[in-house]
Every structure is written in structure tokens, then in C-alpha cells.
Amino acid sequence: MFLSDMSGRSPLYKKAYVFFSSPIQKDLVAQIKRDSSILPRIGALSEMNLEYFPIDSQGFITDHERALEELFCESAEGFNKYNACLNAMATRISTVFASMREFPRVHYRIAKTIDASTMTTLRDMVPTKIAAGVWNYLSKYKTSIPEFPQTETCELLIVDRSVDQIAPIIHEWTYDAMCHDLLCMDGNKYVHEVSSKNGSASEKKEVLLEDHDPVWLELRHSHIADASERLHDKMTHFVSKNKAAQLQQARAGGELSTRDLQKMVQALPQYTDQIDKLSLHVEIAGKLNVIIREQCLRDVGQLEQDLVFGDAGTKELINFFRTQLGVSRENKLRLLMIYAAINPEKFESDKGTKMMQLAGLSADDMIAVNNMRCLCTDTKKSSGGGFTLKFDVQKKKHAHRKERTTEQSAWALSRFYPVLEELIEQLSKGELPKDEYNCMNDPSPSFHVVPTTTSTSARTSPAHSMRSRRTGGSWARPRGSDDGYSSDSVLKHASSDFQKHGQRIFVFVIGGATRSELRAAHKLSSKLKREVILGSSSLDDPLQFITKLKMMSAEELTLDDLHI
């Protein structure tokens, strides 16, 4: 197509500036060089390292939607797909570091079944193979990319979905997660009805819930109850400061509905953008609260968290299935999957089948529950009752996660946190468990872990990257946004804070990341004073994750069957 556009006496363009997101084959470059009419018309021909997709200022994906199926199902027919997926994923992860001129220390989760008594399966080796692939590309970058660092400037942790099987399924109660979980959104696109300009009828309008919307930026990581309250306060404040808005409210007879707000937009054109955004989010929050009430999600969410923290068990789950007849099949499935992640041994007998029958679930649903074991790399029960997590928790029932008493929230259903949050904190302190995590490269003499203590000496000597740190997350910041956080009640000094940050922390989750994990990356950037960037093969909402589990095969295949 390029040759067709640019060759001959009448090219489509006078000059062509061509940038390839990936390396181009040499024979194609030779083909361009052979056409003498094209060469003078090329203003630039360059290969870029941009084989990843930013999802927000601190997150990216490699766009491998079928990674669970291709890397963890282990069917003989899928071996070629396994290798192809691994190679492409390693390439795309590496280009993040090439484009950002960062050279990481590569940590990875080791295979849990490497010992004399058990066979190592292909799925156990996924993080190890990805780490080796990334390291191979990084080693080449040191000699092939100008100004690429020769010593470590950041940290990279590679894990797979087995580190936390509950985070993709459990209800996350923040505004962002609720929008994507409960509303029929297409990616970040939300469709709502607005009054037409002549007021005669309503019309559908598409909006993107992304960083350019300051209200979204401020509320996305807030608890849904907190977001609802703050929206109400914003609207009350706006009306109190504007006489025309007060008049409109008086006509509406007190409380303003979404339609009243839309009428206000027409009456107050100078405030159109501001009221538009507020009315949009008032509408969304209202819809979410209706769904939460109609689907009994507070009861579902309470039992989910009680199961995770050991305050409920089999008896409570059975009682819930028997009494809560208004709960949807999907939410019962999610409860049972959480229960299965905590108590895998219960599904080795017919107990699991009986629980499924009690919940009224289908054979298709049972596939998702059974395939969760494909994400389990250690079937021995730990002292804490989970697959691979070891917590010293003394409770009357299995506790899959320990309480974080230092982070009390004023909002209900805020106890749950993703395991990744704890792993990032351990990595920042240099305290990753040595029996579970290896590192591809020993630290160079100039590499230092940023201290996380609050002592004076620790604060005065943080480690810094070789290059200057400008602002956090600027590599994926859309035009028109301020510092990636700006809003009337969000930290406006985030930009100056990021200049003081130490070395970046990158975390890559193979098999799909969750919105709770993306929120943790933002939260820990402020807490640790280090920019945390989350990468994954995809960003999955609960229904997407469950669908992907159903697509997996449970067929076993060991390394002994194959020549790697």
C-alpha cells in the first residue's frame, strides 16, 4: 500500500514520514529501496518500539486476550500457540522498556512444582519463560538502542494469574470497577440518553470514561457510596453558587433529576460542559445504586469478603444459597468460585457438585469452577487455607487473606485488597520471598532499593533513575489532561511529587489484570513515592474472566512429554 501510494509520477502525497511500531522485515525495506522514485519522497523511515497499548497513565496491556487459554490449558494441540504467545508477549513487554529507556531488574515467580517428586507442567513455567524472553531482548537493547541504560534503573516483577484467583471474580466496590462490572459498557465507552436540543425527544450519546474527564479522574478509585456523596455535594455547591441554577431547581421542586440537569444545560449554556459532566456521573451513580439494590449486592459482597477473611465458610454459603432466592445465577457462580479458590479440596469429591446443584448452576458454570485449578500451581493446602498464600491467621475458618488493620476504611465492603498490593510493597522493601521469586540479574553496584522507612536518613537518600524523572505516567497521558490527576479535589501537586519519586516499579500479570490491581498501582505510587506501572496480557472485568476460564481445557500435559 505504501509503494502504491508513493510511487510513479503522481504520488498520493508529496512526502511520507513512516514509523513502524515493530521491526520491519529486511526484504520489505529492500523492496522500498529498489524503487528510485520513492526514495526522495521519504521524509522519515523509522522503527519504533511501541508494541503495547496504554490503558491509563499507569497501565498497559500486550493485547493477548486468549493468554489464559493458550498458556494454561496445556493441550497437546496448543503447544505451538503456547510458544507463539510467550514470544509475542515477551517482545511487547520489552518494548515498554525500550521506549521508556528503562533497564529493569527482572524478578519472576518460580515454578512451584520443581522438585524430585513432581512433574513440572508447562503452565508452571510461564513466568520463568516470559522473564527469560524479556531478559534476552533487554540484553540486545543495551547494544542496539542509543542511550539505553547499561545499569539497572527500575524493577520488574512478572507473575501469573495464579497469585490471586479471587481478585478477578470478587465484587470491587470502587466507582471505576462498578461501572465496568455492572453497566453494559464497550471498553470505556458509556452510552446514555440526553434531551435533544429542541427538547422534543431524547437521543443516544456516547461518552468515554477516561482521563480527560476531571470528574471521572477524581472519583474512579472512590468507593461507590463515597462517589455518590461527593457528586451530590458537587451539585449542591454548584446550585448554591448560581442563581439561575437555583431558579431551575425551584421549578423542579427540590431535588434535581438527571432530566432536570439536562434542562439546566440548555438554560445555562455557559456552564454546559461542567453540568454535562456532573449530570453524566449523577446518572451513572444512580444507575449503579439501583443495580446494587435490585441484585442484593450488599449481601453478596458481605459474604464474599467474609469468605475471604475467614468469617464465613461452608455453612454460611449453603444457608445463603437456600435463603437468598433473589440473587442472580452469575453472582452465585462468583460466590462459589471464591469458595473453590479458598477450599479446592472440597471440589475433589461430589461436595462441589452438590453445592452447584443447590445454587442452581449449570454444567457450563461448573467448567469455570473446575478450570480454576489450571491456575493453581500448588495444590497442597497452606496453613492459611489458600492455594499458595501463607498467612499466619488464627480464625475459626479458613482465611485466604489477612486483615490490614493499618488501613481502616469508613466505607463498608472495603476490606478486600489484591495480593499484588502486598507483593509490590514487598518488592519495594527488597523482601520478596526467596523461595517463591528469583531474579534474572544480580543487582549492579549502583542499584539500590528505595528505603520505605520514615526515618530522616531514609528520606534524604532515595535511589533515582539514571535519567531525569519528569512527571508520573506522562508516557500514556492524553493531550489536554493536566498531570494525570488534576481535579478540584485531587492532589494538584502530583507532578511535583513524581519528580521526587525513586525508581519505577513495573509489575506484569500474565493472564489478565483487574481494576482493583490497577487501583493498587495508583495508590502505591503515592504511598511508596515510586511510580508503579501495571502491565498485563489484558484488563479483565469479572464476566470476561469467567468466560475465558470456560474456554480453557483442563487436559494435562507435562514437560516430560515435550522437548523444550
Side-chain angles (χ1 to χ4, degrees), residues 362-494:
S362 65
D364 188 48
D365 293 330
M366 194 65 187
I367 293 171
V369 178
N370 286 336
N371 280 349
M372 285 187 73
R373 73 188 182 88
C374 292
L375 301 180
C376 171
T377 55
D378 184 8
T379 54
K380 297 172 186 174
K381 292 284 288 180
S382 70
S383 60
F387 282 170
T388 56
L389 305 174
K390 297 179 181 177
F391 294 134
D392 185 20
V393 182
Q394 298 299 320
K395 286 201 172 185
K396 64 181 187 292
K397 299 181 179 72
H398 285 153
H400 196 69
R401 214 146 298 191
K402 63 182 178 181
E403 297 273 8
R404 307 198 92 176
T405 52
T406 55
E407 295 185 15
Q408 294 293 334
S409 171
W411 303 102
L413 304 172
S414 296
R415 298 160 72 194
F416 181 81
Y417 61 92
V419 169
L420 212 60
E421 189 171 324
E422 195 159 63
L423 289 175
I424 293 168
E425 289 182 319
Q426 289 176 336
L427 176 63
S428 184
K429 296 174 187 174
E431 296 176 0
L432 280 176
K434 288 184 169 53
D435 60 333
E436 294 180 38
Y437 295 89
N438 276 352
C439 183
M440 293 298 295
N441 43 339
D442 291 322
S444 300
S446 61
F447 187 90
H448 303 286
V449 174
V450 176
T452 54
T453 60
T454 53
S455 64
T456 306
S457 60
R459 284 200 306 270
T460 54
S461 57
H464 289 286
S465 185
M466 288 173 62
R467 55 182 187 73
S468 63
R469 178 76 72 246
R470 292 186 181 89
T471 59
S474 59
W475 57 287
R477 190 175 63 223
R479 289 183 184 179
S481 72
D482 198 344
D483 57 13
Y485 281 87
S486 290
S487 183
D488 53 349
S489 62
V490 181
L491 296 177
K492 292 199 174 185
H493 56 269

Side-chain angles (χ1 to χ4, degrees), residues 34 71 79 145 200 212 214 227 253 255 357 384 404 471 503 512 532 542:
R34 282 198 297 270
L71 298 179
F79 183 54
I145 295 179
S200 60
H212 63 267
E255 283 292 318
Q357 290 170 347
R404 307 198 92 176
T471 59
Q503 295 173 332
V532 179

Side-chain angles (χ1 to χ4, degrees), residues 200-493:
S200 60
S202 60
E203 54 189 34
K204 289 189 176 181
K205 181 181 178 183
E206 292 182 354
V207 289
L208 291 174
L209 301 181
E210 292 181 339
D211 288 12
H212 63 267
D213 178 347
V215 180
W216 171 257
L217 207 56
E218 178 187 344
L219 299 179
R220 59 181 175 174
H221 296 148
S222 303
H223 189 286
I224 180 60
D226 184 25
S228 300
E229 281 192 12
R230 283 156 73 176
L231 281 167
H232 180 268
D233 291 344
K234 282 176 180 292
M235 188 54 68
T236 303
H237 177 74
F238 176 78
V239 171
S240 69
K241 297 289 184 184
N242 191 289
K243 288 183 179 179
Q246 290 168 22
L247 183 63
Q248 187 71 33
Q249 184 181 35
R251 287 176 185 161
E255 283 292 318
L256 286 165
S257 68
T258 304
R259 197 158 293 279
D260 294 328
L261 292 169
Q262 289 167 356
K263 288 178 182 175
M264 195 185 290
V265 171
Q266 294 161 6
L268 305 169
Q270 67 272 38
Y271 297 109
T272 295
D273 191 53
Q274 191 176 351
I275 304 173
D276 256 351
K277 283 192 166 52
L278 275 177
S279 63
L280 166 69
H281 291 287
V282 167
E283 175 189 318
I284 291 173
K287 274 189 180 179
L288 292 175
N289 284 312
V290 168
I291 294 170
I292 289 167
R293 187 169 59 251
E294 289 178 346
Q295 295 190 9
C296 311
L297 288 187
R298 287 189 181 89
D299 295 332
V300 173
Q302 188 63 58
L303 181 54
E304 285 177 344
Q305 303 212 7
D306 286 347
L307 286 169
V308 171
F309 289 100
D311 296 325
T314 309
K315 181 181 175 183
E316 288 81 4
L317 184 61
I318 289 173
N319 186 56
F320 186 89
F321 286 159
R322 282 178 176 160
T323 58
Q324 297 284 351
L325 302 178
V327 174
S328 69
R329 199 188 92 225
E330 175 212 317
N331 287 325
K332 287 180 180 178
L333 173 60
R334 287 166 72 168
L335 276 166
L336 199 61
M337 291 175 79
I338 291 169
Y339 178 78
I342 300 166
N343 305 282
E345 77 285 354
K346 303 278 187 188
F347 288 80
E348 291 171 5
S349 62
D350 63 348
K351 286 182 182 178
T353 306
K354 288 178 180 177
M355 292 282 276
M356 294 286 288
Q357 290 170 347
L358 180 62
L361 301 181
S362 65
D364 188 48
D365 293 330
M366 194 65 187
I367 293 171
V369 178
N370 286 336
N371 280 349
M372 285 187 73
R373 73 188 182 88
C374 292
L375 301 180
C376 171
T377 55
D378 184 8
T379 54
K380 297 172 186 174
K381 292 284 288 180
S382 70
S383 60
F387 282 170
T388 56
L389 305 174
K390 297 179 181 177
F391 294 134
D392 185 20
V393 182
Q394 298 299 320
K395 286 201 172 185
K396 64 181 187 292
K397 299 181 179 72
H398 285 153
H400 196 69
R401 214 146 298 191
K402 63 182 178 181
E403 297 273 8
R404 307 198 92 176
T405 52
T406 55
E407 295 185 15
Q408 294 293 334
S409 171
W411 303 102
L413 304 172
S414 296
R415 298 160 72 194
F416 181 81
Y417 61 92
V419 169
L420 212 60
E421 189 171 324
E422 195 159 63
L423 289 175
I424 293 168
E425 289 182 319
Q426 289 176 336
L427 176 63
S428 184
K429 296 174 187 174
E431 296 176 0
L432 280 176
K434 288 184 169 53
D435 60 333
E436 294 180 38
Y437 295 89
N438 276 352
C439 183
M440 293 298 295
N441 43 339
D442 291 322
S444 300
S446 61
F447 187 90
H448 303 286
V449 174
V450 176
T452 54
T453 60
T454 53
S455 64
T456 306
S457 60
R459 284 200 306 270
T460 54
S461 57
H464 289 286
S465 185
M466 288 173 62
R467 55 182 187 73
S468 63
R469 178 76 72 246
R470 292 186 181 89
T471 59
S474 59
W475 57 287
R477 190 175 63 223
R479 289 183 184 179
S481 72
D482 198 344
D483 57 13
Y485 281 87
S486 290
S487 183
D488 53 349
S489 62
V490 181
L491 296 177
K492 292 199 174 185
H493 56 269

